[in-house]
Amino acid sequence: MSHLRLILLAVLSLVSSSLSQTSPPPAILIDCGASASSVIDGRRWQSDENFVSSGTPMNVSDQVLDEILFTARSFPLDLDGTRRKFCYVVGVSRGWKYMIRTTYYYGGVNGKGTPPPVFDQIVDGTFWGVVNTTADYADGLASYYEGVFLAQGKSISVCIASNSYTTSNPFISALELVRLDGTLYNSTDFSTLGLSLVARHAFGYSGPIIRFPDDEFDRFWEPYSLNSTVPNNRKIEVSGFWNLPPSRIFNTDLRATQVQPLEFTWPPMPLTKSFYYIALYFAHDSDSLGDGSRVFDVSVNGVTYYKELSVTPAGAVIFASRWPLEGLTTLTLSPRSGSNLPPLINGGEMFELISLGGKTLVRDVTALNAIKSSFQNAPVDWSGDPCMPKNYSWSGVTCSEGPRIRIVALNLTSMGLSGSLAPEVGKLTALSSIWLGNNSLSGSIPNFSSLKLLESVHLEDNRFSGAIPSFFSGVPRLRELFLQNNNLTGQIPSSLFQKPGLDLRTSGNPFLTQPPR
C-alpha cells in the first residue's frame, strides 16, 4: 500500500536534459552496489561503500536503461529464521526533515528462478513498512517508497530487514535523502511521527512523472486523469504555496464538465485502517474565471473535509494532519449555491502517519559503537539502532523495556570475534552480564567498576593478557567471573577469594599465581 509504481526507461530519460541546468537540492544520493561514484542526469550519485558495512554488491542481469538500476546490494538471509537488519548510516543535519526514498528493482539478483523477496524497511528505530516488489517486477517496473522523517541526531539509519515472510536475500537498488524546507508538512509533529507516502498525483495530467527540476525537492508527482474530466493545459503562475508544490502541476486539472459535483476515487488503491495526512491543491488560469465564481465543498467518503472553498488564480491548499481512512477513498467536490463554474482540483498528496519507535539511550549507542570499532570483525548486523525496532536488536545484544531503552546484556559467545574490548564497555552502566567467551579477543581487561548491576562476566577461552583487575571485588552484584584459558599474568587478587558468593574460575592461565595464604 505504501509504495508507488515507478515507470522506468522513458519516464526518467525525458527529464534528463533539464536536470543539468538547475542545481539539485541538498541531497545524498546513493547508488547501491555501485563500485564508484557517477553523474547520472546531471546529479552526483555516490557508491554505497562508505554507508554500509555488510551485504554483497550485485549486478542486475535484466536489461534496463536507468543507470541507477544497473546494480543492487543484497543482504544475507538467515535460514534459521533469525530476524536481522542491515543498515545504511548516513550523516545528516540534526533537526532537519528529510525526504527518504528507497528504490528496488529485483532484476533476478537472487537467481532467475527465484521470485523477488518480501522484507521490511526500517528508519532509525522505527518500522517503516513491508517491501513487496513482486507485482511491479512482473510488469517490468521498479518500486519506490518515500517517507518524511526528522533527523534526531547526526545520522539517519535506513535498514533492510528479513522477516518471517522473507524467502531469499533482501536487496536495495538506490537510497536518497533530500533535506526539506522547514515549512514543508510542518503541521505534523515529527518528534513523534513520520510520514509514509501513499499517493502524490498531478490531476488531469497524463505525461511522465513530474520531478526535479520542476519540484525542487525531487518529489515524484505521478499522472492521474479520468475520461469524465476535462484537462486544462493553460500555463498558470502560482507561488508561495504551502508545501511548495511545483507550479507545473497547476497547468492541468480535473474538472467537472458542468456545474455539478465531481466525484472520483483517490488514491486509486484501498487503504489500510490508519490515520492519514492529506493535502489538496487548487488553482486555475484567470482567463477562465471572468465574472464567474468557483466555490465548492470538499468531502472525503461523504464526510465534509472543507466547506465553501473559493478557487482563484492565486490558488488554495487545504490539508488535514490526521484523517482516519480505510478501504477505497472517494473525493467529492460539490458546487455551492451561486457558483457558476464547475469544481476542479490540480494535485494531491497523501501520507500514512507512522508512530515513531523508541531509540536506545544515546550514551549506550556511543559506547556500543566504540566496542564495535575495537572488534576486528564485529557482527554484520551491528549498525543502526542497537535495540529498536524491538524484534531487530543487534546480534548478542539484550535491551530493556519501557521508555528509557538501555543495553542490559551482551552475549557474543563463540561469535569468532578478534581485536580487543574497548574501555567504553564501562559506560554501559545497565549491564547485568557480559559474555564474550570462546573468541579470540586480546589485550587487557577494561575497567568494569562502574557497572554496579553486573552479575556475570564470561571472558573464558580468549587471549586476554595482563593482570586480573582488583576492581572486580568491588562490583556489588558480581556472582560469576570466568577467566579461564587466557594469557593472564600476575597474582590473583586475594579480595576475589574473599568476595561472598563469587564463582571464580582462572584455570588455563599458566602465568597466574595464587595469593599467599
Side-chain angles (χ1 to χ4, degrees), residues 111-125:
K112 278 294 186 181
T114 304
V118 180
F119 50 93
D120 296 342
Q121 58 182 2
I122 294 163
V123 174
D124 290 333

Side-chain angles (χ1 to χ4, degrees), residues 234 255 284-290 292 294 341 344:
R234 301 179 66 89
R255 68 176 73 189
H284 60 79
D285 60 289
S286 56
D287 293 344
S288 70
L289 188 60
R294 198 186 307 273
L341 292 174
L344 60 75

Side-chain angles (χ1 to χ4, degrees), residues 20 89 96 111 131 200-201 213-214 222 225 229-231 255 269 300 306 312 344 370 378 389 447 456 484:
S20 59
V89 181
W96 285 81
V131 176
R200 182 186 291 118
H201 285 99
D214 294 294
E222 295 193 329
S225 60
T229 60
V230 178
R255 68 176 73 189
M269 62 285 198
V300 179
Y306 195 91
T312 69
L344 60 75
N447 192 334
S456 177
Q484 63 268 34

Side-chain angles (χ1 to χ4, degrees), residues 232 236 238 241 250 252-253 255 281-285 294 311-316 344-346:
N232 162 41
I236 301 175
V238 296
F241 256 66
F250 297 100
T252 59
D253 59 53
R255 68 176 73 189
Y281 304 96
F282 308 84
H284 60 79
D285 60 289
R294 198 186 307 273
V311 177
T312 69
L344 60 75
I345 185 170
N346 301 92

Side-chain angles (χ1 to χ4, degrees), residues 257-278:
T257 56
Q258 302 177 31
V259 182
Q260 61 187 23
L262 170 64
E263 183 174 289
F264 60 100
T265 299
W266 181 81
M269 62 285 198
L271 304 175
T272 58
K273 185 177 182 179
S274 188
F275 290 96
Y276 294 85
Y277 173 101
I278 308 170

